[in-house]
Amino acid sequence: MKWKVKVIVRLKEGLNDPEGRVIGNALKNLGFSVENLRVPKYFEFELESERPEEEVEEMCRKLLANPLIHEWEYSIEPVS
Amino acid sequence: MVKFAVVVFPGTNCDFETERAIRKAGAEAERVWYKTSLKDFDGVVLPGGFSYADYLRAGAIAARQEIIEEVKEFARDGKPVLGICNGFQVLTEAGLLPGALRPNKVPRFICRWVHLRVADTETPFTQFYEPGEVIRMPIAHAEGNYYADDPSKVRIAFQYSDEEGNITEEANPNGSLLNIAAIANENGNVLGTMPHPERASDRFLGSEDGLKLFRSMVEWARK
């Protein structure tokens, strides 16, 4: 069975996100009252699998995220 | 004569300098493509550069290549494993050293000379330094901001300092926890350093302080 997978990986709450800080400050300078801007990484791919949840979880743990500093979330939908 | 492998991944660019520094320190060194086996070597060095263009996270993709299983065996067998800059990032990503290297506090590439205080002279890589000695080496990285959940468990080898050896916030170029610049594993036989010892291995480069690290490593591997 084929699935469409979307994964978001972001730095854990409380860990400094330097890129987010710079972009947030730039928006502030443009007059927007932005706070706590974070820059997560977004991945999307198709996956042929009989156990997509398990495999996506494993992908995040093994490569897409560094479990020490990142948290992740994902959505999995069948490809029609 | 002891022989070190200098592993080359796509995007590695400090391999020649590292090979030269090891030779100058008195051992044989050979640059090996990452698809080659590491048998016949007494130690392994993962040099600096931008393996896989630093895509995803610096060092992440190199850390998942087959050759890393062999590097893990070296580490388990107590043989010397040295990671310089990108090599340090690979070693943390591979779980051979604790913690992670995050993007610099000011998110840009930094390339300059820094002062370091030697924190641990009991490792195979630092045995020729004096305790508390202040040395000079260059850094060149965008992701050198060291982080660990429990820093009390980290064996610190070098810390960013000022010229007098004071560990100050101003002397910390990248936001590293406790000014950490280099760490070792519990046994001491695996070392990761963000500063480049190979770029401080000849007087004409501006410092020979890094050569001592290679001399320490070579001397230790000989025994």
Side-chain angles (χ1 to χ4, degrees):
Chain A
M1 175 119 186
K2 204 169 192 182
W3 308 88
K4 174 88 177 172
V5 183
K6 296 172 180 175
V7 182
I8 294 176
V9 174
R10 61 167 66 85
L11 279 165
K12 281 182 184 169
E13 193 70 34
L15 279 183
N16 184 15
D17 178 350
E19 193 179 351
R21 188 159 37 84
V22 169
I23 296 169
N25 284 341
L27 284 171
K28 266 191 202 163
N29 291 338
L30 290 172
F32 300 102
S33 49
V34 168
E35 274 175 52
N36 296 323
L37 188 142
R38 318 279 283 173
V39 185
K41 276 211 164 103
Y42 174 69
F43 306 85
E44 55 179 35
F45 50 90
E46 286 172 7
L47 177 69
E48 182 75 51
S49 172
E50 294 311 313
R51 39 179 199 97
E53 294 249 344
E54 272 171 64
E55 282 196 6
V56 172
E57 190 63 34
E58 204 180 335
M59 283 180 205
C60 290
R61 230 177 334 101
K62 282 193 171 167
L63 180 64
L64 296 182
N66 180 338
L68 186 66
I69 54 174
H70 293 128
E71 54 195 16
W72 54 87
E73 57 187 78
Y74 47 81
S75 68
I76 300 171
E77 283 166 23
V79 173
S80 50
Chain B
M1 196 184 264
V2 290
K3 191 172 176 187
F4 285 84
V6 179
V7 180
V8 181
F9 294 101
T12 295
N13 64 11
C14 297
D15 42 325
F16 285 97
E17 298 90 326
T18 303
E19 179 189 37
R20 188 188 157 100
I22 296 168
R23 288 193 179 145
K24 193 172 174 185
E28 274 186 61
E30 190 182 318
R31 296 164 51 252
V32 296
W33 186 234
Y34 75 110
K35 301 222 170 180
T36 324
S37 167
L38 292 177
K39 65 177 173 58
D40 307 331
F41 289 97
D42 305 294
V44 57
V45 181
L46 306 178
F50 299 87
S51 59
Y52 299 88
D54 276 358
Y55 288 161
L56 190 60
R57 295 180 304 281
I61 296 179
R64 274 87 184 166
Q65 303 304 311
E66 231 173 279
I67 196 168
I68 297 300
E69 291 311 312
E70 275 190 272
V71 176
K72 285 180 178 170
E73 268 174 50
F74 271 68
R76 270 198 299 273
D77 295 347
K79 293 180 184 169
V81 175
L82 169 66
I84 303 166
C85 199
N86 192 238
F88 186 5
Q89 294 158 341
V90 174
L91 290 176
T92 55
E93 280 284 342
L96 278 166
L97 287 173
L101 292 148
R102 301 171 298 167
N104 295 339
K105 192 174 171 195
V106 176
R108 63 170 184 227
F109 187 83
I110 315 171
C111 182
R112 66 175 172 89
W113 285 84
V114 293
H115 287 96
L116 303 163
R117 191 171 77 186
V118 181
D120 186 341
T121 54
E122 305 289 314
T123 81
F125 305 89
T126 55
Q127 55 170 344
F128 287 171
Y129 293 102
E130 300 294 325
E133 186 178 345
V134 179
I135 57 175
R136 279 178 79 239
M137 277 191 218
I139 51 167
H141 60 247
E143 297 182 36
N145 181 352
Y146 183 78
Y147 173 81
D149 277 342
D150 186 356
S152 68
K153 287 189 181 146
V154 176
R155 188 166 176 186
I156 304 171
F158 299 143
Q159 283 169 294
Y160 300 109
S161 74
D162 64 16
E163 222 167 320
E164 280 81 44
N166 303 305
I167 309 297
T168 64
E169 206 181 318
E170 297 74 51
N172 187 345
N174 52 28
S176 271
L177 200 70
L178 304 174
N179 286 41
I180 288 172
I183 63 167
N185 65 343
E186 215 175 323
N187 294 332
N189 68 307
V190 179
L191 185 107
T193 169
M194 285 317 292
H196 285 264
E198 82 283 9
R199 295 188 192 178
S201 60
D202 203 299
R203 261 182 303 169
F204 86 86
L205 292 170
S207 167
E208 271 191 320
D209 293 343
L211 189 61
K212 263 199 232 179
L213 188 152
F214 293 108
R215 287 210 172 114
S216 296
M217 176 180 87
V218 168
E219 180 61 26
W220 187 80
R222 253 195 216 122
K223 288 174 185 166

